[in-house]
Amino acid sequence: MAKNVGIVAIDIYFPPTCVQQEALEAHDGASKGKYTIGLGQDCMAFCTEVEDVISMSLTVVSSLLEKYGIDPKQIGRLEVGSETVIDKSKSIKTFLMQLFETCGNSDIEGVDSSNACYGGTAALFNCVNWVESNSWDGRYGLVVCTDSAVYAEGPARPTGGAAAIALLIGPDAPIAFESKLRGSHMAHAYDFYKPNLASEYPVVDGKLSQTCYLMAVDACYKHFCQKYEKFEKQQFSVADADYFVFHSPYNKLVQKSFARLLFNDFLKDASSIDETSKEKLAPFANLTGDESYQSRDLEKASQQVAKPFYDAKVQPTTLIPKQVGNMYTASLYAAFISLVHNKHSSLAGQRAVLFSYGSGLTATMFSLKFNEGKSPFSLSNIATVMSVDKKLKSRHEFAPEKFVETMHLMEKRYGAKDFVTSKDCSLLAPGTYYLTEVDTMYRRFYAKKDKDGAIENGMVANGH
Amino acid sequence: MAKNVGIVAIDIYFPPTCVQQEALEAHDGASKGKYTIGLGQDCMAFCTEVEDVISMSLTVVSSLLEKYGIDPKQIGRLEVGSETVIDKSKSIKTFLMQLFETCGNSDIEGVDSSNACYGGTAALFNCVNWVESNSWDGRYGLVVCTDSAVYAEGPARPTGGAAAIALLIGPDAPIAFESKLRGSHMAHAYDFYKPNLASEYPVVDGKLSQTCYLMAVDACYKHFCQKYEKFEKQQFSVADADYFVFHSPYNKLVQKSFARLLFNDFLKDASSIDETSKEKLAPFANLTGDESYQSRDLEKASQQVAKPFYDAKVQPTTLIPKQVGNMYTASLYAAFISLVHNKHSSLAGQRAVLFSYGSGLTATMFSLKFNEGKSPFSLSNIATVMSVDKKLKSRHEFAPEKFVETMHLMEKRYGAKDFVTSKDCSLLAPGTYYLTEVDTMYRRFYAKKDKDGAIENGMVANGH
């Protein structure tokens, strides 16, 4: 049986087009700091008319295969997590099969997994389980998280974002699953959903969604701690992991969520809570669950208690989510990539606990352990390949007016047929795929900007 | 590690409302036999305004748990395969979590898998892999395939259908996976897809879809045989499996597909082909792949060669697909259930090879082996619980006019909000869930018809 199964390589792509949250605040007439401090967000990426979840996933998969020197024949499973629906039947995975056609590899299992922002985690678990199962054939799994998060004008709009992430899965991984340490919480809720099929925008109950998220944090942490105590024969507290990585709709919710873990530690009298902290949290010891989610005083006190832990164990994970925005299925893994980017030289031997959340709702807390790994699958090479700094620095800032104009165009284009795009790929990096046309039968055509900036190849809409 | 992992229990639900294909032929002004002989279909089930893929899956899951005496706490993973989109973000799985709320089991992994009719197979593989993986916690997996297949008026309309199937997954199964015997073929195609987001109806290229299906049969059979030859050290032919079970959009395609397997056997000079058959197929030995898909003469000759094999190895799988219609993700498993229903007393020790196909396209051929199993998970008890004959016989035939009228209402209801249904559950069997209301926020409310035929409980739309 395969051992130390986990993530052996990673790549990330996000659109080079973005808008500053500070500029958006001013444009929207919001109070100063509402998006930057209130939400804790710096900048937001978005797709223009030449990009979508399919083009982004084509870009990131071809980039990962090329940069790590992976023969496409070595992929035996490919799964996509996404909540951005372009077609209600044909999976994004089938679009990606175009990348494997030239080498004649069609024997690749896996389809798309979906439940809001959780689909990528489901795809990841499925790929890891496959490598550990009897049906594994010795090849790599590949997980793709790809989403474009856009909201109607209003308070949720600054919580958008867009990205695609590819994770290569195999044995002897530098980022290995501690598979027994996992707690899930799944329930029926209407906190965020997309019932208006013709619109790309979700229906969101912001307050309910935040409560659902925090309740899921609590329930998953409880299940996770129970599993840890069962297998490790000792209590778990935030002291037992080096990093905590959260799905990040906006940074403020990550701050609140991590503080909940400390409050949970306090309630079970864990070693992470010193005497001073105990005193600060004592007034809240007898709140009911519901009261605890509503109490602003508890929120302040627990965030104060959490602060030193947050700075050490969470802050290194926040770079990309703050700079790119909510990436739905890619959000948690963008936070994780931020950690690898910031700390790759010191991660070996350390543990990261991840919290994945998808509205509706599905949530899991799980554990990963690092080792240095061997090139090309070493932590340092993964950080080099991902080039996070370079990608962030080479972006193009749009003025809010131009961002809003783009959103208007995208509203018309969503679900539409019979149009050609501008085909303007001047802002895209070489190697980026982009949408050129949707024909009268809704078939989508993409091209790739080559190394010299010209079109490398037009991709046929239909493989036959 | 868990051994002989596979399907330990099964239940099936299909709407009691149906229309006879012969009556539909006459109503549509189609030539006599066009649907019954040309497509090979007998009858078609459909949802009325009180049923949908969510209600059907609630019905089949609660029925399976009750009939096999499974404590809901014993479910550790629940996955849904479906291509019927009611919400683009919130999974059907989260609706099913309502059934586990009263017993307090929220620690259940898994979401929805999607690619046309293949999502159920992806969910099944995921559940089996989970039981074989390090993250398995000793509990059962549960796979749900649920779909309502409806088409716009025209030639594809008689290829509709509706059903939900639940498969309980665990070790020491009476229906165990031969996990190494598996061949997939996945590619980018536009044979059948759902790009018109506001409509429930797909865009279908019937001729292309049939060719894609047959090409996938060939490619999967080739990959499957290679795996068999690698692990069993001998050639595979149709003689090496007792039954072949196909995804069944309509029965005629199943006949054609099975005949392709014989043609493949002929091309590789397999032992299943006797001298008489060789003579019949010899004229087609040098056709190119494309020519072979277009040749009506080859189709006839290979179906003639295949006939005795078809009667023994395929015909027992065709009952429900011919009677209920295309059930998309549930179609393959409805064919498999037909086999268990018809042959349960003689299946022990036998092998069934299954072919799953989803347009777009994704396809896998895989192998299952039977043993008698122990009550309640014995083949004979599974056949008893499923009560296929009783369910088929207690249906209510609608006249074609009433069926068309229902389709018109369903068109208006798809994606709509702010309506109450008739709440008329007089045609539904006791224990069936049904839709009562969709409120102004698109939240869906269901109730359950109790054992005495009254409403057992209204289910709240929001778990909080």
Side-chain angles (χ1 to χ4, degrees), chain A residues 334-408:
Chain A
F336 183 76
I337 285 170
S338 304
L339 173 62
V340 175
H341 165 72
N342 281 318
K343 298 285 181 182
H344 59 89
S345 59
S346 63
L347 288 175
Q350 299 198 312
R351 169 184 287 149
V353 169
L354 282 73
F355 175 71
S356 180
Y357 179 83
S359 291
L361 62 86
T362 61
T364 302
M365 191 171 280
F366 60 104
S367 181
L368 299 173
K369 257 208 153 160
F370 297 95
N371 65 75
E372 180 44 44
K374 283 181 198 149
S375 185
F377 304 140
S378 61
L379 295 174
S380 55
N381 188 53
I382 292 172
T384 304
V385 163
M386 296 189 304
S387 305
V388 170
D389 273 339
K390 190 182 157 202
K391 285 174 186 163
L392 285 174
K393 279 178 193 152
S394 57
R395 296 195 291 175
H396 307 273
E397 283 175 25
F398 273 36
E401 294 73 18
K402 208 172 159 196
F403 161 70
V404 171
E405 197 181 291
T406 305
M407 290 298 106
H408 283 153

Coordinates of all heavy atoms in Angstrom, one line a residue, chain A residues 334-408:
Chain A
A334 N -5.2 28.4 -1.6 CA -4.4 29.6 -1.8 C -3.9 30.0 -0.5 O -2.7 30.6 -0.4 CB -5.3 30.7 -2.4
A335 N -4.6 29.8 0.6 CA -4.1 30.1 1.9 C -2.9 29.2 2.3 O -1.9 29.6 2.8 CB -5.2 30.0 3.0
F336 N -3.1 27.9 1.9 CA -2.1 26.9 2.1 C -0.8 27.3 1.3 O 0.3 27.1 1.8 CB -2.6 25.5 1.8 CG -1.6 24.4 2.1 CD1 -1.4 24.0 3.4 CD2 -0.9 23.8 1.1 CE1 -0.5 23.0 3.7 CE2 0.0 22.8 1.3 CZ 0.2 22.4 2.6
I337 N -1.0 27.7 0.1 CA 0.1 28.1 -0.8 C 0.8 29.3 -0.2 O 2.1 29.3 -0.2 CB -0.4 28.4 -2.2 CG1 -0.7 27.1 -2.9 CG2 0.6 29.2 -3.0 CD1 -1.5 27.2 -4.2
S338 N 0.1 30.2 0.4 CA 0.7 31.3 1.1 C 1.7 30.9 2.2 O 2.8 31.4 2.3 CB -0.3 32.3 1.7 OG -1.3 32.7 0.7
L339 N 1.3 29.9 2.9 CA 2.1 29.3 3.9 C 3.4 28.7 3.4 O 4.5 29.0 3.8 CB 1.3 28.2 4.7 CG 2.1 27.4 5.8 CD1 2.7 28.3 6.9 CD2 1.2 26.3 6.4
V340 N 3.2 27.9 2.3 CA 4.4 27.2 1.7 C 5.3 28.3 1.1 O 6.5 28.2 1.3 CB 4.0 26.2 0.6 CG1 5.2 25.7 -0.1 CG2 3.1 25.1 1.2
H341 N 4.7 29.3 0.5 CA 5.5 30.4 0.0 C 6.3 31.1 1.1 O 7.5 31.4 0.9 CB 4.5 31.4 -0.7 CG 5.1 32.8 -1.0 ND1 6.0 33.0 -2.0 CD2 4.9 34.0 -0.4 CE1 6.3 34.3 -2.0 NE2 5.7 34.9 -1.1
N342 N 5.6 31.4 2.2 CA 6.3 32.2 3.3 C 7.3 31.4 4.1 O 8.2 32.0 4.6 CB 5.2 32.8 4.2 CG 4.6 34.0 3.6 OD1 5.2 34.9 3.0 ND2 3.2 34.1 3.7
K343 N 7.0 30.1 4.3 CA 7.7 29.4 5.3 C 8.4 28.1 4.8 O 8.8 27.3 5.7 CB 6.7 29.0 6.4 CG 6.1 30.2 7.2 CD 7.1 30.8 8.1 CE 6.5 32.0 8.9 NZ 7.4 32.6 9.8
H344 N 8.5 27.9 3.5 CA 9.0 26.6 3.0 C 10.3 26.1 3.6 O 10.4 24.9 3.8 CB 9.1 26.7 1.5 CG 10.0 27.7 1.0 ND1 11.4 27.4 0.8 CD2 9.9 29.0 0.6 CE1 12.0 28.5 0.3 NE2 11.1 29.5 0.2
S345 N 11.2 27.0 4.0 CA 12.5 26.6 4.5 C 12.4 26.0 5.9 O 13.3 25.4 6.4 CB 13.5 27.7 4.4 OG 13.0 28.8 5.2
S346 N 11.3 26.3 6.6 CA 11.2 25.8 8.0 C 10.0 24.9 8.3 O 9.7 24.6 9.4 CB 11.1 27.0 9.0 OG 9.9 27.7 8.7
L347 N 9.4 24.4 7.2 CA 8.2 23.6 7.4 C 8.4 22.1 7.8 O 7.6 21.5 8.4 CB 7.2 23.7 6.2 CG 6.5 25.0 6.0 CD1 5.7 25.0 4.7 CD2 5.5 25.3 7.1
A348 N 9.6 21.6 7.4 CA 9.8 20.2 7.6 C 9.6 19.7 9.0 O 10.1 20.4 9.9 CB 11.2 19.8 7.1
G349 N 8.8 18.7 9.2 CA 8.5 18.2 10.5 C 7.3 18.8 11.2 O 6.9 18.4 12.2
Q350 N 6.8 19.9 10.5 CA 5.7 20.6 11.1 C 4.3 20.1 10.7 O 4.2 19.4 9.7 CB 5.8 22.1 10.9 CG 7.2 22.6 11.5 CD 7.2 24.1 11.6 OE1 6.9 24.9 10.7 NE2 7.6 24.6 12.8
R351 N 3.3 20.5 11.4 CA 1.9 20.1 11.1 C 1.0 21.3 10.8 O 1.1 22.3 11.5 CB 1.3 19.4 12.3 CG -0.2 19.2 12.2 CD -0.8 18.5 13.5 NE -0.4 17.1 13.6 CZ -0.2 16.5 14.7 NH1 -0.3 17.1 15.9 NH2 0.1 15.2 14.7
A352 N 0.2 21.2 9.8 CA -0.8 22.3 9.5 C -2.2 21.6 9.5 O -2.4 20.5 9.0 CB -0.5 22.9 8.1
V353 N -3.1 22.3 10.2 CA -4.5 21.9 10.3 C -5.3 22.8 9.4 O -5.2 24.0 9.5 CB -5.0 21.9 11.7 CG1 -6.5 21.7 11.8 CG2 -4.3 20.8 12.6
L354 N -6.0 22.2 8.5 CA -6.8 22.9 7.5 C -8.3 22.8 7.8 O -8.8 21.8 8.1 CB -6.5 22.4 6.1 CG -5.2 22.8 5.4 CD1 -4.0 22.1 6.1 CD2 -5.2 22.5 3.9
F355 N -9.0 23.9 7.5 CA -10.5 23.9 7.7 C -11.1 24.3 6.3 O -10.9 25.4 5.8 CB -10.9 24.9 8.8 CG -12.4 25.0 8.9 CD1 -13.2 24.0 9.4 CD2 -13.0 26.2 8.4 CE1 -14.5 24.1 9.4 CE2 -14.4 26.3 8.5 CZ -15.2 25.2 9.0
S356 N -11.9 23.4 5.8 CA -12.5 23.6 4.5 C -14.0 23.8 4.8 O -14.6 23.0 5.5 CB -12.3 22.4 3.6 OG -12.9 22.6 2.3
Y357 N -14.6 24.9 4.1 CA -16.0 25.1 4.3 C -16.7 25.4 3.0 O -16.2 26.2 2.2 CB -16.2 26.3 5.2 CG -17.7 26.7 5.5 CD1 -18.4 26.0 6.4 CD2 -18.4 27.6 4.7 CE1 -19.8 26.3 6.6 CE2 -19.7 27.9 4.9 CZ -20.4 27.2 5.9 OH -21.7 27.5 6.0
G358 N -17.9 24.8 2.8 CA -18.7 25.1 1.6 C -20.1 25.3 2.1 O -20.7 24.5 2.8
S359 N -20.7 26.4 1.8 CA -22.1 26.7 2.2 C -23.0 25.7 1.8 O -22.8 25.0 0.8 CB -22.5 28.1 1.6 OG -21.8 29.1 2.2
G360 N -24.1 25.6 2.5 CA -25.2 24.6 2.1 C -25.6 23.5 3.1 O -26.7 23.2 3.1
L361 N -24.6 22.9 3.9 CA -23.2 23.2 4.1 C -22.5 21.9 4.3 O -23.0 20.9 4.8 CB -23.1 24.1 5.3 CG -23.6 23.6 6.7 CD1 -22.5 22.8 7.4 CD2 -23.9 24.8 7.6
T362 N -21.2 22.0 4.0 CA -20.3 20.9 4.1 C -18.9 21.4 4.7 O -18.5 22.5 4.1 CB -20.0 20.1 2.8 OG1 -19.4 21.1 1.9 CG2 -21.3 19.6 2.2
A363 N -18.3 20.8 5.7 CA -17.1 21.3 6.2 C -16.3 20.2 6.8 O -16.8 19.2 7.3 CB -17.4 22.3 7.3
T364 N -14.9 20.3 6.7 CA -14.0 19.3 7.2 C -12.8 20.0 7.8 O -12.3 20.9 7.1 CB -13.6 18.3 6.2 OG1 -14.8 17.6 5.7 CG2 -12.7 17.2 6.8
M365 N -12.3 19.5 8.9 CA -11.0 19.9 9.4 C -10.1 18.7 9.3 O -10.5 17.6 9.7 CB -11.1 20.4 10.9 CG -9.9 21.1 11.4 SD -10.2 21.8 13.1 CE -11.1 23.3 12.6
F366 N -8.9 19.0 8.8 CA -8.0 17.8 8.5 C -6.5 18.3 8.7 O -6.2 19.4 8.8 CB -8.2 17.2 7.2 CG -8.0 18.1 6.0 CD1 -6.9 18.0 5.2 CD2 -9.0 19.0 5.6 CE1 -6.7 18.8 4.1 CE2 -8.8 19.8 4.5 CZ -7.7 19.7 3.8
S367 N -5.6 17.3 8.7 CA -4.2 17.6 9.1 C -3.2 17.1 8.1 O -3.4 16.0 7.5 CB -4.0 16.8 10.5 OG -2.6 17.1 10.9
L368 N -2.2 17.9 7.8 CA -1.2 17.6 6.9 C 0.2 17.7 7.6 O 0.3 18.6 8.5 CB -1.2 18.6 5.7 CG -2.4 18.6 4.9 CD1 -2.3 19.7 3.8 CD2 -2.6 17.3 4.2
K369 N 1.1 16.9 7.3 CA 2.5 17.0 7.8 C 3.5 17.2 6.7 O 3.4 16.6 5.7 CB 2.8 15.7 8.7 CG 2.6 16.0 10.2 CD 3.5 15.1 11.0 CE 3.8 15.9 12.3 NZ 4.2 15.0 13.4
F370 N 4.5 18.1 7.0 CA 5.5 18.4 6.0 C 6.8 17.6 6.2 O 7.2 17.3 7.3 CB 5.9 19.9 6.2 CG 4.8 20.8 5.9 CD1 4.0 21.4 6.9 CD2 4.5 21.2 4.6 CE1 3.0 22.3 6.7 CE2 3.4 22.1 4.3 CZ 2.7 22.6 5.4
N371 N 7.4 17.3 5.1 CA 8.9 17.0 5.1 C 9.5 17.6 3.9 O 8.8 18.1 3.0 CB 9.1 15.4 5.1 CG 8.6 14.8 3.9 OD1 9.2 14.9 2.8 ND2 7.4 14.1 3.9
E372 N 10.8 17.7 3.9 CA 11.5 18.6 2.9 C 11.2 18.1 1.5 O 11.0 18.8 0.6 CB 13.0 18.7 3.2 CG 13.7 19.6 2.2 CD 13.1 20.9 1.8 OE1 12.5 21.6 2.7 OE2 13.0 21.2 0.6
G373 N 11.2 16.7 1.3 CA 10.9 16.2 0.0 C 12.1 16.3 -0.9 O 13.1 16.9 -0.6
K374 N 12.0 15.5 -2.0 CA 13.1 15.5 -3.0 C 12.8 16.2 -4.3 O 11.7 16.1 -4.8 CB 13.5 14.1 -3.3 CG 14.3 13.4 -2.1 CD 14.6 12.0 -2.5 CE 15.0 11.2 -1.2 NZ 14.7 9.8 -1.3
S375 N 13.7 16.9 -4.9 CA 13.5 17.7 -6.1 C 13.0 16.7 -7.2 O 13.5 15.6 -7.3 CB 14.8 18.3 -6.5 OG 14.6 19.1 -7.7
P376 N 12.0 17.1 -8.0 CA 11.4 18.4 -8.1 C 10.3 18.7 -7.1 O 9.7 19.7 -7.0 CB 10.9 18.5 -9.5 CG 10.4 17.1 -9.8 CD 11.4 16.2 -9.0
F377 N 10.1 17.6 -6.2 CA 8.9 17.7 -5.3 C 9.4 18.1 -3.9 O 8.8 17.7 -2.9 CB 8.2 16.4 -5.2 CG 7.7 15.9 -6.6 CD1 7.8 14.5 -6.9 CD2 7.2 16.7 -7.5 CE1 7.4 14.1 -8.2 CE2 6.8 16.3 -8.8 CZ 6.9 15.0 -9.1
S378 N 10.4 19.0 -3.8 CA 10.8 19.6 -2.5 C 10.0 20.8 -2.2 O 9.5 21.5 -3.1 CB 12.3 19.9 -2.6 OG 12.5 20.9 -3.5
L379 N 9.8 21.1 -0.9 CA 9.1 22.3 -0.6 C 9.7 23.6 -1.2 O 9.0 24.5 -1.6 CB 9.0 22.4 1.0 CG 8.2 21.3 1.7 CD1 8.4 21.5 3.2 CD2 6.8 21.4 1.3
S380 N 11.0 23.6 -1.2 CA 11.7 24.8 -1.8 C 11.4 24.9 -3.3 O 11.2 26.0 -3.7 CB 13.2 24.8 -1.5 OG 13.7 23.6 -1.9
N381 N 11.4 23.8 -4.0 CA 11.2 23.9 -5.4 C 9.7 24.2 -5.7 O 9.4 25.0 -6.6 CB 11.5 22.6 -6.1 CG 11.4 22.8 -7.7 OD1 12.0 23.7 -8.2 ND2 10.7 21.9 -8.3
I382 N 8.8 23.7 -4.9 CA 7.4 24.1 -5.0 C 7.2 25.6 -4.9 O 6.5 26.2 -5.7 CB 6.5 23.3 -4.0 CG1 6.5 21.8 -4.3 CG2 5.1 23.8 -4.0 CD1 5.8 20.9 -3.3
A383 N 7.8 26.2 -3.8 CA 7.8 27.6 -3.6 C 8.3 28.4 -4.8 O 7.7 29.4 -5.3 CB 8.5 28.0 -2.4
T384 N 9.4 27.9 -5.4 CA 10.0 28.5 -6.6 C 9.1 28.4 -7.8 O 8.9 29.4 -8.4 CB 11.4 27.8 -6.9 OG1 12.2 27.9 -5.8 CG2 12.1 28.5 -8.1
V385 N 8.6 27.2 -8.0 CA 7.7 27.1 -9.2 C 6.5 28.0 -9.1 O 6.1 28.6 -10.1 CB 7.3 25.6 -9.3 CG1 6.1 25.5 -10.3 CG2 8.4 24.7 -9.8
M386 N 5.9 28.1 -7.9 CA 4.7 28.9 -7.8 C 4.8 30.4 -8.0 O 3.9 31.0 -8.4 CB 4.0 28.6 -6.4 CG 3.6 27.2 -6.2 SD 2.7 26.9 -4.7 CE 3.7 27.6 -3.4
S387 N 6.1 30.9 -7.8 CA 6.4 32.3 -8.0 C 5.3 33.2 -7.6 O 4.8 34.1 -8.3 CB 6.6 32.5 -9.5 OG 7.5 31.7 -10.1
V388 N 4.9 33.1 -6.4 CA 3.7 33.9 -5.9 C 4.0 35.4 -5.9 O 3.2 36.2 -6.4 CB 3.4 33.5 -4.4 CG1 2.4 34.4 -3.8 CG2 2.8 32.1 -4.4
D389 N 5.2 35.8 -5.5 CA 5.6 37.2 -5.5 C 5.5 37.8 -6.9 O 4.9 38.9 -7.1 CB 7.0 37.5 -4.9 CG 6.9 37.6 -3.4 OD1 5.8 37.9 -2.8 OD2 7.9 37.4 -2.7
K390 N 6.1 37.1 -7.8 CA 6.2 37.6 -9.2 C 4.8 37.7 -9.7 O 4.4 38.7 -10.4 CB 7.0 36.6 -10.0 CG 7.4 37.2 -11.4 CD 8.2 36.2 -12.2 CE 8.0 36.5 -13.7 NZ 8.3 35.3 -14.5
K391 N 3.9 36.7 -9.5 CA 2.6 36.8 -10.0 C 1.8 37.9 -9.4 O 1.0 38.6 -10.1 CB 1.9 35.4 -9.8 CG 2.3 34.3 -10.7 CD 1.7 33.0 -10.3 CE 2.3 31.9 -11.2 NZ 2.0 30.5 -10.6
L392 N 2.0 38.2 -8.1 CA 1.2 39.3 -7.5 C 1.7 40.6 -8.0 O 0.9 41.5 -8.2 CB 1.4 39.2 -5.9 CG 0.6 38.1 -5.2 CD1 1.0 38.1 -3.7 CD2 -0.9 38.3 -5.4
K393 N 3.0 40.7 -8.2 CA 3.6 42.0 -8.6 C 3.3 42.4 -10.0 O 3.3 43.6 -10.4 CB 5.1 42.0 -8.3 CG 5.4 42.3 -6.9 CD 6.9 42.3 -6.6 CE 7.2 42.3 -5.1 NZ 8.5 41.6 -4.8
S394 N 3.1 41.4 -10.9 CA 3.0 41.7 -12.3 C 1.5 41.9 -12.7 O 1.2 41.8 -13.8 CB 3.6 40.6 -13.2 OG 3.1 39.4 -12.8
R395 N 0.7 42.2 -11.7 CA -0.8 42.4 -12.0 C -1.1 43.8 -12.5 O -0.3 44.7 -12.4 CB -1.6 42.1 -10.8 CG -1.5 40.6 -10.3 CD -2.5 40.3 -9.4 NE -2.4 40.9 -8.1 CZ -3.3 40.8 -7.1 NH1 -4.4 40.1 -7.3 NH2 -3.1 41.3 -5.9
H396 N -2.3 43.9 -13.1 CA -2.7 45.2 -13.7 C -3.9 45.7 -12.9 O -4.9 45.0 -12.9 CB -3.1 45.0 -15.2 CG -2.0 44.4 -16.0 ND1 -1.0 45.1 -16.6 CD2 -1.7 43.1 -16.2 CE1 -0.1 44.2 -17.2 NE2 -0.6 43.0 -17.0
E397 N -3.8 46.8 -12.2 CA -4.9 47.3 -11.5 C -5.9 48.1 -12.3 O -5.5 48.9 -13.1 CB -4.3 48.3 -10.4 CG -3.7 47.6 -9.2 CD -3.1 48.6 -8.2 OE1 -3.5 49.8 -8.2 OE2 -2.2 48.2 -7.5
F398 N -7.1 47.7 -12.2 CA -8.2 48.3 -12.9 C -8.8 49.4 -12.0 O -8.9 49.1 -10.8 CB -9.3 47.4 -13.3 CG -9.1 46.7 -14.6 CD1 -7.8 46.3 -15.0 CD2 -10.2 46.3 -15.5 CE1 -7.6 45.6 -16.3 CE2 -10.0 45.7 -16.7 CZ -8.7 45.3 -17.1
A399 N -9.2 50.5 -12.5 CA -10.0 51.5 -11.7 C -11.4 50.8 -11.4 O -11.9 50.0 -12.2 CB -10.2 52.8 -12.5
P400 N -12.0 51.2 -10.3 CA -13.3 50.6 -10.0 C -14.3 50.7 -11.1 O -15.1 49.8 -11.3 CB -13.7 51.4 -8.7 CG -12.5 51.8 -8.1 CD -11.5 52.0 -9.2
E401 N -14.3 51.8 -11.8 CA -15.3 52.0 -12.9 C -15.1 51.0 -14.0 O -16.1 50.5 -14.6 CB -15.1 53.4 -13.5 CG -15.5 54.6 -12.6 CD -14.4 54.9 -11.6 OE1 -13.3 54.4 -11.7 OE2 -14.8 55.5 -10.6
K402 N -13.8 50.7 -14.3 CA -13.5 49.7 -15.3 C -13.9 48.3 -14.8 O -14.3 47.4 -15.6 CB -12.1 49.8 -15.7 CG -11.8 49.3 -17.1 CD -10.4 49.6 -17.6 CE -10.0 48.8 -18.7 NZ -8.5 48.7 -19.0
F403 N -13.7 48.1 -13.5 CA -14.1 46.8 -12.9 C -15.6 46.6 -13.1 O -16.1 45.5 -13.5 CB -13.7 46.7 -11.5 CG -14.4 45.7 -10.6 CD1 -14.2 44.3 -10.8 CD2 -15.3 46.1 -9.6 CE1 -14.8 43.4 -10.1 CE2 -15.9 45.1 -8.9 CZ -15.7 43.8 -9.1
V404 N -16.4 47.6 -12.7 CA -17.9 47.5 -12.8 C -18.3 47.3 -14.2 O -19.2 46.5 -14.5 CB -18.5 48.8 -12.2 CG1 -20.0 48.9 -12.5 CG2 -18.2 48.9 -10.7
E405 N -17.6 48.0 -15.1 CA -17.9 47.9 -16.6 C -17.7 46.4 -17.0 O -18.5 45.8 -17.8 CB -17.0 48.8 -17.3 CG -17.3 49.1 -18.7 CD -16.3 50.1 -19.3 OE1 -16.1 51.2 -18.9 OE2 -15.5 49.6 -20.2
T406 N -16.6 45.8 -16.5 CA -16.3 44.4 -16.8 C -17.4 43.5 -16.3 O -17.8 42.6 -17.0 CB -14.9 44.0 -16.3 OG1 -13.9 44.9 -16.7 CG2 -14.5 42.6 -16.6
M407 N -17.8 43.8 -15.1 CA -18.9 42.9 -14.5 C -20.2 43.0 -15.3 O -20.9 42.0 -15.5 CB -19.2 43.4 -13.0 CG -18.1 43.1 -12.0 SD -17.8 41.3 -11.8 CE -16.2 41.2 -12.7
H408 N -20.5 44.2 -15.8 CA -21.7 44.3 -16.7 C -21.6 43.5 -17.9 O -22.6 42.8 -18.3 CB -21.9 45.8 -17.0 CG -22.5 46.6 -15.9 ND1 -22.3 48.0 -15.8 CD2 -23.3 46.3 -14.9 CE1 -22.9 48.4 -14.7 NE2 -23.5 47.4 -14.1

